Amino acid sequence: MNDTEQHDDLKHENFDFRGFDLPELKAVTEAASAKSGKNSADGGTPQSSAKTKSGKRKPAEGPDAKSGRKKGKAVAKEDKNAKKNRPGLFTPMTLRGLTVRNRIWLPPMCTYSAFARDGRPTPFHYQHYVSRAFGGFGMIIAEATAVAPEGRISPCDVGLWEDGQIDAWRWIVDGIREAGAVPAVQLNHAGRKASTGCFAVGYEGQSVPEEAGGWSTVAPSPIAFGGLNTPRALSVDEIHGLVGAFAAAAGRAVAAGFQAIEIHAAHGYLISQFLDPLINEREDEYGGDLNGRSRFLVEVVDAVRGTVPQEMPVLVRVSATDWAAGGWDLDQTIALSKVLKEHGVDLVDVSTGGMVSGVSIPVKPDYQVPFSEQVRLKADVPVTAVGLITKPKQAAKILARGQADAVEIGRAALRDPSWPLRAASKLGVPTAEAPYAPQYVTGAY
């Protein structure tokens, strides 16, 4: 296998992962430097050299060689110390007035299990979330929770669009906190991807017809996602109303006892539809350049930030790229993240994709980590990494390399609610320092 074939899975027409492979990039740079050192600046005359004890000649050193080596050693030592001082998976993390017990978090994952179609969570949701809190996760981010009934992804989504849903959440939130984890909730409006089917309704991958409980959808522009129904473009007044709906849902989340709010601006749902130039064709203040396309999200952030207590963290989930040429990309994500930080967002939850249909995504372990790393570095904001992170050492390395401040374990957590406890054992964390509830210590790994 040649080098080009080996790295084919790291390339995409709108993105190239190879540039973010830091160890490989460093090796290439050093090799290039060594090669250029053999030739003079005029293009090929060999420099003088001295013989070593073995009789081989070594390249002559210029006047700055020794100081360069010293600087290189100093930088290497600094990098080593920085890595040594970076937090581990089980180091607590503080955001505003909230401290999370570790950096292994459960991401929001839809379960489509509000079978009464009233947006209220059920005993299933209690079992689902509380078992993972007992399993050692630091933060439990509840699944996409609709801020309006027409904002549900499916008829069986949970919601916080009315006060009657608060009590249905409160016992679940209490259970999560009693198990030692932080309960958070992701607020969402699905936009053009609303009213779709699920295992409980049927019509999976399709729009649910009105006679089966579906509804008409809305979006920034009347452009359909794949084979779903074409949405209606929102008016400016309706957009203002949805900003208020996010704020009202955040207030209900506080009343239910949630300790952090995440705003869903990823995966092709309504807010990310406004962000993406391939989806948003508006010519008013909510379209056009990046400032216009991000206006809806910034207004939602300001409204939520103004509703929740000052000490409560506000998170935003983004798709760092839509994987389509000419669409949403990493540079825009970094610019947006800087703005979000200025508006009081405490952490950016970095994911990718879901915005445009029919694109090719090079899915593999850690495939989204380079994006979180760049957002963290260039926007100077805390981030989480997600995407096929399944192994304890894999997760630990992400933090050790400074690629994220916390990791989110999704599908692996569906298989193993106690993933953090197993990870603690794999990484040699003493039982007394692992997030065991007292009732389960005798069954420690």
Side-chain angles (χ1 to χ4, degrees), residues 64-111:
D64 296 328
K66 289 184 179 180
S67 62
R69 285 203 309 272
K70 289 181 179 178
K71 288 180 181 178
K73 289 180 180 179
V75 171
K77 184 176 181 181
E78 184 178 334
D79 288 346
K80 185 176 181 180
N81 289 337
K83 182 175 179 179
K84 183 178 180 181
N85 294 329
R86 283 175 183 146
L89 288 175
F90 294 93
T91 304
M93 181 176 179
T94 298
L95 296 169
R96 288 188 182 256
L98 177 70
T99 297
V100 187
R101 64 181 173 184
N102 62 46
R103 294 163 188 256
I104 308 171
W105 298 0
L106 185 77
M109 293 179 284
C110 293
T111 63

Side-chain angles (χ1 to χ4, degrees), residues 39-395:
N39 301 311
S40 65
D42 64 4
T45 304
Q47 296 181 348
S48 62
S49 59
K51 286 187 177 181
T52 64
K53 291 181 179 180
S54 63
K56 295 182 179 179
R57 291 186 178 273
K58 62 180 181 180
E61 293 186 340
D64 296 328
K66 289 184 179 180
S67 62
R69 285 203 309 272
K70 289 181 179 178
K71 288 180 181 178
K73 289 180 180 179
V75 171
K77 184 176 181 181
E78 184 178 334
D79 288 346
K80 185 176 181 180
N81 289 337
K83 182 175 179 179
K84 183 178 180 181
N85 294 329
R86 283 175 183 146
L89 288 175
F90 294 93
T91 304
M93 181 176 179
T94 298
L95 296 169
R96 288 188 182 256
L98 177 70
T99 297
V100 187
R101 64 181 173 184
N102 62 46
R103 294 163 188 256
I104 308 171
W105 298 0
L106 185 77
M109 293 179 284
C110 293
T111 63
Y112 308 115
S113 297
F115 300 124
R117 305 190 185 189
D118 57 2
R120 301 185 183 193
T122 68
F124 164 82
H125 294 93
Y126 181 94
Q127 173 69 26
H128 175 64
Y129 291 120
V130 176
S131 64
R132 283 154 183 83
F134 276 118
F137 284 89
M139 181 180 287
I140 304 289
I141 309 177
E143 63 203 85
T145 300
V147 301
E150 65 275 12
R152 290 172 292 170
I153 302 168
S154 84
C156 293
D157 278 20
V158 292
L160 273 171
W161 66 76
E162 64 179 18
D163 292 349
Q165 293 159 335
I166 295 173
D167 282 342
W169 278 110
R170 188 175 283 125
W171 72 304
I172 298 171
V173 172
D174 289 346
I176 293 171
R177 294 181 68 168
E178 288 167 4
V182 167
V185 63
Q186 183 187 69
L187 301 181
N188 184 47
H189 191 296
R192 68 177 187 167
K193 293 177 77 174
S195 188
T196 55
C198 64
F199 73 93
V201 176
Y203 304 99
E204 293 188 63
Q206 306 172 51
S207 294
V208 177
E210 291 190 17
E211 60 269 21
W215 57 89
S216 300
T217 56
V218 295
S221 302
I223 303 172
F225 178 84
L228 300 182
N229 292 343
T230 301
R232 173 181 60 80
L234 287 160
S235 69
V236 171
D237 285 343
E238 287 175 319
I239 294 170
H240 294 167
L242 287 174
V243 171
F246 272 93
R252 295 184 186 102
V254 173
F258 284 106
Q259 293 179 287
I261 303 292
E262 177 170 277
I263 298 166
H264 201 349
H267 299 164
Y269 298 118
L270 184 61
I271 294 178
S272 63
Q273 292 163 27
F274 273 88
L275 294 174
D276 199 307
L278 298 179
I279 306 171
N280 183 348
E281 295 183 345
R282 300 181 73 95
E283 297 180 354
D284 58 16
E285 63 267 38
Y286 291 96
D289 62 11
L290 179 59
N291 287 335
R293 287 181 280 112
S294 62
R295 183 184 301 274
F296 179 41
L297 172 56
V298 172
E299 289 181 354
V300 168
V301 167
D302 287 345
V304 169
R305 182 77 270 170
T307 299
V308 303
Q310 183 63 28
E311 66 274 13
M312 176 178 282
V314 173
L315 292 56
V316 173
R317 187 167 225 192
V318 298
S319 284
T321 177
D322 62 11
W323 300 102
W328 185 257
D329 58 21
L330 179 59
D331 288 341
Q332 294 175 86
T333 300
I334 291 168
L336 174 66
S337 298
K338 292 177 180 178
V339 173
L340 295 177
K341 180 181 176 182
E342 292 174 355
H343 284 260
V345 169
D346 302 287
L347 180 141
V348 178
D349 182 353
V350 182
S351 185
T352 68
M355 302 165 88
V356 180
S357 64
V359 296
S360 175
I361 301 176
V363 177
K364 58 184 293 185
D366 288 354
Y367 76 105
Q368 296 181 141
V369 174
F371 296 98
S372 64
E373 180 181 17
Q374 290 298 303
V375 172
R376 183 177 189 267
L377 176 67
K378 295 181 178 179
D380 190 27
V381 62
V383 302
T384 57
V386 68
L388 292 185
I389 302 170
T390 60
K391 299 178 180 179
K393 289 184 179 179
Q394 174 194 9

